[in-house]
Amino acid sequence: MSVITAAEVESAKGVLVVGLKDVVTPLARDRAKELGVKIERSGDAAPRPKPSPKPQPPAKSDAPSAKPADAMSGALYRRGAPVPNALRAEPGAAAPDPRPVAAVIGAGHVGAMTALRLAETSLLSRIVLVDVVPGLAAGLALDMWHSASLRGFTTRIEGSADISAVAGADYVVVTAGKPRQPGMSRTDLTGVNAEIIKKVAEGLRAHAPRSVVVVVTNPLEEMTHLMAKASGFPPGRVVGMAGVLDSARFRSLIALTGVAKPEEIEAIALGSHGPEMVIPLSLAKAKGAPLSSLLPADQLNAIVERARDSGAEVVKLLQKGSAYFAPAESAAAMVAEMLRESGKVLAVCVQSGGAYGLEDTRVGLPVKLGRTGLKEIVQLPLTSAEKAALAKAASSIAARVRELG
Ligand SMILES: NC(=O)c1ccc[n+]([C@@H]2O[C@H](COP(=O)([O-])OP(=O)(O)OC[C@H]3O[C@@H](n4cnc5c(N)ncnc54)[C@H](O)[C@@H]3O)[C@@H](O)[C@H]2O)c1
């Protein structure tokens, strides 16, 4: 008797012949349906194509959910289902990798760097990079995997030009789309990127219907809204990355004044990823002391302005394309926080749902993330001016979202 896994289904060409006593896992059956592979029983155990190699368990992983060696992988067996004894790993056999799977759509500057940053955490069993340009994702993935022994990571990286490769992904980071060029605003990208996001959303609905999606494509709030609408995923499973980056930019710029190191500065950027960004200075601190007690107000306001325009500053310097090191680090940090569930409060673009008395739209708010996406919106003690600025941001975003139709 053998256990027939999704991997064997994936490597079958149209028909998979299995023996009478072979056990076919529910996920393998689902994959067969998705891929149109017919599973036939034969009297004799017929030779089958070799399954694609399973990722090895990490030598050392900080994944909080690491299960005992005999637990089954989400990629092998449906989550939550009882594990039959027949499917338990034999002593000495390579145990299935219990870590989740992520996909990154768009293997451009932000996507490629996000995949590498995520791989380096070793929190995931596998990362699938997808790009419409033939060979791009596969080539970059192989190149990244070649660095695994040097960087000491165990997450396998694969690439494909076919969106169906996202099958089995628990987390998806969407970076597909055009970046800004000098002189462009993020909203200038709406038309071209909306079409890309709708296409990607269709692919995710078909192939990774249970995934948690982190949207990176600009204009961020509009594309996050569109992804949720076009995928039909519940609001908590579609979040946008901007506030983590904008907060990081502000903290790094404050550190240039010499008051503290970047990591010793606390600040959060809410509202929109654009002109309506709100950085509540009443909450900003360096080594626990209020920033307003360390720096004069006009200097602080100038740094807020610079953080708000940092994306454009980088675009102008590069003259072609936009920022990607800090954006990729930010997107990877969001997925890592979903897996670690450390309880950190992060600025994330989410459906406001009436929080802070805001118009119901997608807007950057302080939240806690967890394994299934948004855990909770956190209520911070904002001043009335900060609340008013946040309300203004939400209503501007809502107007742009209405224009999307
Ligand atoms: N939210 C943020 O804070 C933030 C920060 C930086 C960049 N961005 C945005 O991220 C996006 C990507 O930026 P980049 O610098 O990586 O651009 P890039 O041009 O380097 O890469 C984009 C990639 O998307 C691919 N692509 C296009 N359509 C696709 C599809 N349907 N499926 C799969 N792949 C597809 C392209 O082939 C390209 O390789 C841009 O919209 C940019 O504005 C957002």
Side-chain angles (χ1 to χ4, degrees), residues 220-221 224-225 235-241 271 334 346-353 355 358-369 373-378 397:
L220 196 270
E221 292 82 23
T224 306
H225 165 85
R237 277 209 278 127
V238 182
V239 298
M241 187 292 288
M334 283 173 64
L346 298 178
V348 176
C349 176
V350 293
Q351 178 89 39
S352 59
L358 301 174
E359 191 168 345
D360 191 17
T361 191
R362 254 127 195 134
V363 56
L365 291 176
V367 309
K368 286 188 185 170
L369 296 174
L374 174 65
K375 251 179 150 174
E376 61 175 294
I377 295 176
V378 176
I397 295 165

Side-chain angles (χ1 to χ4, degrees), residues 17-395:
V17 182
V18 303
L20 278 179
K21 292 187 178 164
D22 288 356
V23 175
V24 181
T25 69
L27 192 64
R29 264 188 242 121
D30 286 357
R31 278 300 278 148
K33 257 189 224 155
E34 283 168 19
L35 299 175
V37 172
K38 210 167 154 208
I39 299 179
E40 282 180 3
R41 297 261 175 205
S42 94
D44 311 313
R48 285 187 298 277
K50 252 182 146 23
S52 46
K54 282 256 165 282
Q56 294 302 301
K60 206 172 92 183
S61 163
D62 52 350
S65 68
K67 293 174 196 156
D70 65 349
M72 300 307 296
S73 150
L76 178 64
Y77 201 72
R78 189 187 297 290
R79 256 180 278 164
V83 180
N85 283 338
L87 294 183
R88 292 192 180 277
E90 297 295 328
D97 195 322
R99 297 172 295 174
V101 173
V104 178
I105 316 296
H109 289 93
V110 181
M113 190 55 69
T114 303
L116 184 60
R117 286 287 181 260
L118 272 177
E120 286 169 346
T121 67
S122 288
L123 288 167
L124 298 149
S125 61
R126 194 161 60 92
I127 294 172
V128 185
L129 191 57
V130 177
D131 199 289
V132 284
V133 175
L136 178 67
L140 290 174
L142 183 60
D143 187 16
M144 288 179 209
W145 177 244
H146 289 161
S147 71
S149 65
L150 301 167
R151 298 287 298 167
F153 64 82
T154 55
T155 299
R156 289 291 306 274
I157 318 177
E158 296 159 9
S160 175
D162 186 344
I163 189 81
S164 68
V166 302
D170 301 284
Y171 301 92
V172 181
V173 181
V174 178
T175 72
K178 294 273 180 228
R180 288 196 275 176
Q181 301 300 336
M184 285 175 91
S185 78
R186 292 183 180 96
T187 45
D188 291 335
L189 300 167
T190 306
V192 61
N193 284 351
E195 290 313 309
I196 293 174
I197 289 294
K198 280 191 226 162
K199 223 171 173 177
V200 172
E202 272 169 33
L204 298 186
R205 199 176 52 200
H207 302 290
R210 289 181 287 272
S211 57
V212 177
V213 183
V214 178
V215 178
V216 177
T217 308
N218 275 320
L220 196 270
E221 292 82 23
E222 290 93 312
M223 296 304 114
T224 306
H225 165 85
L226 201 56
M227 173 56 74
K229 210 174 149 208
S231 65
F233 290 6
R237 277 209 278 127
V238 182
V239 298
M241 187 292 288
V244 172
L245 170 65
D246 296 327
S247 311
R249 281 176 169 162
F250 177 74
R251 293 162 66 212
S252 295
L253 292 172
I254 288 287
L256 293 179
T257 67
V259 291
K261 294 182 203 155
E263 80 233 35
E264 292 169 335
I265 296 158
E266 290 166 54
I268 194 158
L270 309 174
S272 85
H273 185 45
E276 307 99 357
M277 190 185 299
V278 181
I279 301 183
L281 291 177
S282 68
L283 303 174
K285 292 181 184 152
K287 293 189 198 165
L291 273 188
S292 55
S293 69
L294 302 170
L295 293 168
D298 55 349
Q299 191 179 5
L300 273 177
N301 290 331
I303 296 172
V304 168
E305 281 297 308
R306 189 173 177 198
R308 205 177 276 154
D309 295 337
S310 281
E313 191 179 348
V314 174
V315 168
K316 198 169 165 202
L317 287 166
L318 290 175
Q319 294 185 29
K320 195 170 183 289
S322 62
Y324 58 98
F325 286 104
E329 192 72 53
S330 307
M334 283 173 64
V335 176
E337 177 56 22
M338 288 177 190
L339 296 169
R340 291 190 175 114
E341 295 193 310
S342 76
K344 254 188 221 162
V345 176
L346 298 178
V348 176
C349 176
V350 293
Q351 178 89 39
S352 59
Y356 286 87
L358 301 174
E359 191 168 345
D360 191 17
T361 191
R362 254 127 195 134
V363 56
L365 291 176
V367 309
K368 286 188 185 170
L369 296 174
R371 290 218 149 215
T372 54
L374 174 65
K375 251 179 150 174
E376 61 175 294
I377 295 176
V378 176
Q379 200 69 36
L380 296 178
L382 302 181
T383 65
S384 51
E386 290 161 351
K387 276 187 204 152
L390 193 53
K392 199 166 161 228
S395 65

